[in-house]
């Protein structure tokens, strides 16, 4: 039995009910209006058309849609900004796409409890800028801060540059309102920072990739705004020397806000994208972008000296310090646009690589990527969050491979590299998730007993299997 045989079709009667729930203007069925909801940043090659797109504005409407879909056994795929690159928001089985784009309000900034209460459609950077004006910081954001939605970040437990200092999204979600596939609404967590009060369902929802429930409100932890920061750019003659430098910096007691890595190819693509250059980018094989924070001028000066000295001691060709906030921002824009820059060069490039290994194993993981490039005769750009062991190989499509064959070709390489990561003590995704692009690989490498526990959780939350089917596992 195929997965699709478990579901019913969206009929004109269902469309009429949806319009009654949400309003006719927020229900779309025309192909030209719903085509943009058929794919995410993994690429149009993976697109699947939904039957209908609905845009609720509150939890009650979401609940009513889910009750209808559960009653009629119609698949539902919740969607945020569509900035994911694992296929998690693609409606594999058609049915209903539940777009949360209209639920985009920051409901409250509570400075006493240091939380923000937001709807899932809030753009991450909008929240960051809003709380910064209050002397606070939302630290749980990914590199796609200017496009991603908070709801999508929660669904994938998104990471980013500041994970080394503040942790991933999970660490910053204190509470949620979530609508289950049955339409029931749960309130989990709250404006508190610890609890021992039964199973922690909040943590099960975070990172579940939209397969267990639809988050309709989030209570997010806020940190004090950082002190003064300094950004460094250090070119290295080899990736191995860059890895050693990072380890030495951490051993020296420097508190890193962020520590990112780009290889020569990714740096050239990204600087070209911004019509700029990195110093020594024709000679260097690797670049570190490091940011440190000092609570006092003396502490910051100490960190600046230690970072510079340590990088040079471990082979840096030079260490450049951003002299202004504008210069710092320009350096970070190059790193943040890494994926977009590669896609500008090759619109069919695959962005699905997202392995994470212990930092001590990064050099081995990088070597495996280089060997795969030679073995399969393809070009691979490499970047990532070096201080937490998360690397992102991006794969350029060779002209010799037809477009229709490219998805299977590249995913076989990704599967091979995930196997290497697991053998080195890592996993196949540090922040992008499994979605459906890595589902086969996830099922291949995970223990059957663990998968069965996950299936049991899925059945408890979603007895009819209607929510985001075809993701994570069968």
């Amino acid at each position: 039995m195929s997965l699709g045989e478990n579901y019913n079709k969206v009929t004109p009667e269902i469309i009429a009910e949806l319009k009654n729930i949400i309003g006719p203007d927020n229900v779309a069925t025309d192909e030209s209006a719903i085509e943009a909801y058929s794919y995410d940043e993994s690429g149009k090659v993976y697109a699947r058309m939904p039957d209908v797109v609905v845009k609720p504005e509150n939890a009650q409407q979401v609940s009513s849609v889910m009750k209808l879909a559960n009653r009629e056994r119609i698949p539902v795929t919740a969607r945020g900004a569509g900035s994911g690159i694992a296929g998690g928001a693609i409606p594999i089985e058609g049915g209903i796409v539940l777009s949360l784009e209209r639920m985009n309000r920051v409901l409250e900034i509570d400075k006493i409890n240091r939380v923000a209460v937001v709807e899932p459609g809030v753009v991450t950077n909008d929240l960051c800028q809003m709380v910064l004006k209050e002397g606070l910081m939302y630290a749980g954001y990914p590199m796609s801060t200017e496009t991603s939605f908070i709801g999508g970040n929660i669904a994938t437990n998104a990471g980013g540059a500041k994970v080394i200092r503040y942790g991933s999204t999970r660490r910053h979600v204190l509470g949620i309102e979530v609508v289950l596939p049955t339409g029931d609404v749960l309130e989990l967590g709250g404006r508190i920072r610890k609890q021992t009060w039964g199973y922690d369902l909040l943590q099960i929802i975070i990172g579940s990739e939209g397969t267990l429930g639809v988050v309709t409100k989030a209570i997010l932890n806020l940190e004090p705004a950082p002190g003064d920061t300094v950004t460094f750019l250090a070119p290295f003659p080899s990736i191995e020397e860059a890895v050693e430098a990072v380890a030495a910096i951490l051993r020296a007691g420097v508190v890193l806000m962020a520590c990112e890595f780009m290889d020569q190819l990714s740096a050239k693509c990204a600087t070209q994208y911004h019509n700029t250059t990195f110093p020594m980018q024709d000679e260097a094989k690797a670049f570190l972008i490091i940011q440190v924070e000092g609570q006092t001028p003396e502490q910051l000066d100490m960190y600046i000296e230690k970072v510079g000295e340590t990088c040079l001691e471990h082979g840096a060709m030079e260490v450049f310090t951003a002299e202004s906030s504008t210069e710092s921002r320009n350096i970070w824009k190059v790193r943040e646009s890494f994926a977009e820059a590669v896609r500008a060069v090759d619109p069919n490039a695959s962005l699905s690589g997202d392995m994470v290994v212990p930092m001590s194993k990064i050099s081995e993981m990088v070597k495996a990527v280089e060997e795969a490039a030679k073995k399969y005769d393809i070009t691979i750009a490499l970047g990532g969050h070096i201080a937490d062991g998360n690397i992102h190989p991006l794969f350029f499509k060779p002209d010799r491979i037809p477009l229709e064959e490219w998805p299977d070709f590249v995913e076989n390489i990704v599967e091979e590299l995930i196997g290497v990561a697991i053998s080195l003590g890592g996993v196949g995704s540090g922040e992008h998730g499994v979605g459906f692009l890595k589902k086969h690989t996830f099922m291949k490498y995970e223990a059957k007993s663990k998968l069965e526990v996950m299936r049991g959780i899925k059945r408890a939350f979603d007895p009819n299997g209607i929510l985001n089917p075809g993701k994570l596992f069968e």
Side-chain angles (χ1 to χ4, degrees):
M1 177 185 290
S2 70
L3 204 60
E5 291 177 314
N6 294 317
Y7 304 113
N8 294 319
K9 297 292 185 181
V10 175
T11 64
E13 291 76 19
I14 297 298
I15 298 293
E17 282 197 63
L18 291 170
K19 289 181 176 180
N20 186 54
I21 292 168
I22 297 180
D25 292 341
N26 298 304
V27 177
T29 56
D30 185 80
E31 184 171 329
S32 62
I34 67 176
E35 191 266 341
Y37 298 86
S38 67
Y39 58 91
D40 63 10
E41 284 299 311
S42 60
K44 291 186 178 182
V45 69
Y46 299 108
R48 302 287 193 281
M49 286 293 286
D51 298 307
V52 57
V53 174
V54 300
K55 302 175 184 180
E57 65 176 354
N58 56 53
Q60 183 55 54
Q61 289 182 349
V62 173
S63 174
S64 296
V65 170
M66 293 311 306
K67 287 178 180 177
L68 169 61
N70 194 54
R71 184 192 77 208
E72 300 294 335
R73 297 203 176 203
I74 295 170
V76 178
T77 304
R79 183 183 177 92
S83 59
I85 53 179
I90 296 175
I92 299 300
E93 297 295 329
I96 299 169
V97 163
L98 184 73
S99 173
L100 299 163
E101 63 195 89
R102 294 176 64 216
M103 298 179 64
N104 59 4
R105 296 178 300 161
V106 175
L107 301 173
E108 183 183 359
I109 298 175
D110 177 352
K111 292 196 286 186
I112 294 176
N113 291 304
R114 271 194 302 112
V115 301
V117 184
V118 305
E119 292 181 325
V122 170
V123 175
T124 312
N125 193 56
D126 291 350
L127 174 64
C128 292
Q129 296 303 313
M130 188 177 296
V131 301
L132 191 60
K133 294 175 182 177
E134 303 294 334
L136 298 166
M137 175 178 65
Y138 175 63
Y141 58 86
M143 299 303 284
S144 57
T145 176
E146 295 185 359
T147 56
S148 65
F149 287 178
I150 294 293
N153 296 346
I154 293 172
T156 58
N157 186 32
K162 290 182 170 61
V163 166
I164 186 63
R165 173 72 171 85
Y166 293 107
S168 57
T169 297
R170 181 182 305 282
R171 184 170 165 184
H172 303 281
V173 181
L174 302 178
I176 58 172
E177 173 186 78
V178 59
V179 178
L180 301 186
T182 57
D184 295 320
V185 181
L186 298 184
E187 299 278 350
L188 304 175
R191 302 182 196 213
I192 52 177
R193 287 172 172 80
K194 64 178 180 179
Q195 62 170 316
T196 305
W197 201 241
Y199 294 151
D200 198 339
L201 300 181
L202 170 65
Q203 295 303 321
I204 291 176
I205 294 291
I206 298 169
S208 63
E209 303 190 39
T211 63
L212 301 181
V214 181
V215 173
T216 50
K217 184 169 65 178
I219 301 171
L220 304 175
N221 176 65
L222 300 178
E223 299 282 347
D228 292 334
T229 62
V230 171
T231 296
F232 304 88
L233 176 65
F236 285 81
S238 72
I239 292 172
E240 290 77 13
E241 287 164 298
V243 172
E244 284 299 321
V246 175
I249 290 168
L250 293 171
R251 287 196 303 270
V254 177
V255 179
L256 297 178
M257 283 278 286
C259 186
E260 296 292 293
F261 153 76
M262 300 180 77
D263 72 356
Q264 185 183 64
L265 177 57
S266 64
K268 286 185 174 182
C269 288
T271 53
Q272 179 181 335
Y273 186 72
H274 286 287
N275 194 29
T276 185
T277 58
F278 272 174
M280 303 182 177
Q281 73 176 29
D282 290 329
E283 298 83 30
K285 300 301 182 185
F287 294 86
L288 291 183
I289 302 172
I290 300 169
Q291 189 173 72
V292 298
E293 172 197 5
Q295 294 299 324
T296 65
E298 293 77 16
Q299 185 185 53
L300 189 60
D301 287 343
M302 180 186 70
Y303 286 168
I304 291 171
E305 184 177 350
K306 281 191 174 184
V307 169
E309 288 179 353
T310 305
C311 284
L312 292 170
E313 287 171 0
H314 287 80
M317 301 160 73
E318 187 57 86
V319 179
F320 300 91
T321 304
E323 298 295 338
S324 66
S325 58
T326 299
E327 193 171 328
S328 174
R329 184 61 191 149
N330 287 340
I331 292 172
W332 279 106
K333 274 191 173 181
V334 171
R335 169 61 186 93
E336 290 168 359
S337 63
F338 165 39
E340 291 89 340
V342 168
R343 275 276 172 86
V345 175
D346 178 4
N348 296 310
S350 173
L351 314 180
S352 64
D354 176 34
M355 305 85 192
V356 60
V357 296
M359 201 180 82
S360 60
K361 301 294 185 180
I362 288 179
S363 294
E364 293 177 60
M365 191 68 231
V366 169
K367 184 179 179 181
V369 173
E370 293 172 342
E371 290 175 349
K374 293 177 183 177
K375 176 181 176 181
Y376 294 99
D377 191 21
I378 63 170
T379 301
I380 304 176
L382 193 61
H385 317 299
I386 193 168
D388 58 40
N390 191 193
I391 67 169
H392 300 308
L394 307 190
F395 306 84
F396 291 82
K397 189 187 85 64
D399 291 338
R400 71 179 189 277
I401 300 177
L403 184 59
E404 62 271 17
E405 296 177 13
W406 174 236
D408 287 340
F409 180 89
V410 73
E411 291 312 317
N412 284 335
I413 302 174
V414 172
E415 179 176 315
E416 185 175 304
L417 291 173
I418 287 174
V420 173
I422 291 172
S423 73
L424 294 173
V427 295
S429 175
E431 55 190 14
H432 296 162
V434 174
F436 88 92
L437 268 67
K438 300 186 186 78
K439 179 178 68 173
H440 170 78
T441 306
F442 180 69
M443 294 177 64
K444 174 180 177 179
Y445 286 113
E446 280 298 332
K448 290 183 179 180
S449 57
K450 188 186 294 186
L451 287 172
E452 192 51 40
V453 170
M454 293 182 188
R455 289 189 180 100
I457 293 170
K458 171 67 171 174
R459 286 190 291 267
F461 278 86
D462 186 10
N464 288 326
I466 63 164
L467 191 54
N468 212 7
K471 314 298 168 60
L472 288 177
F473 45 76
E474 300 295 357

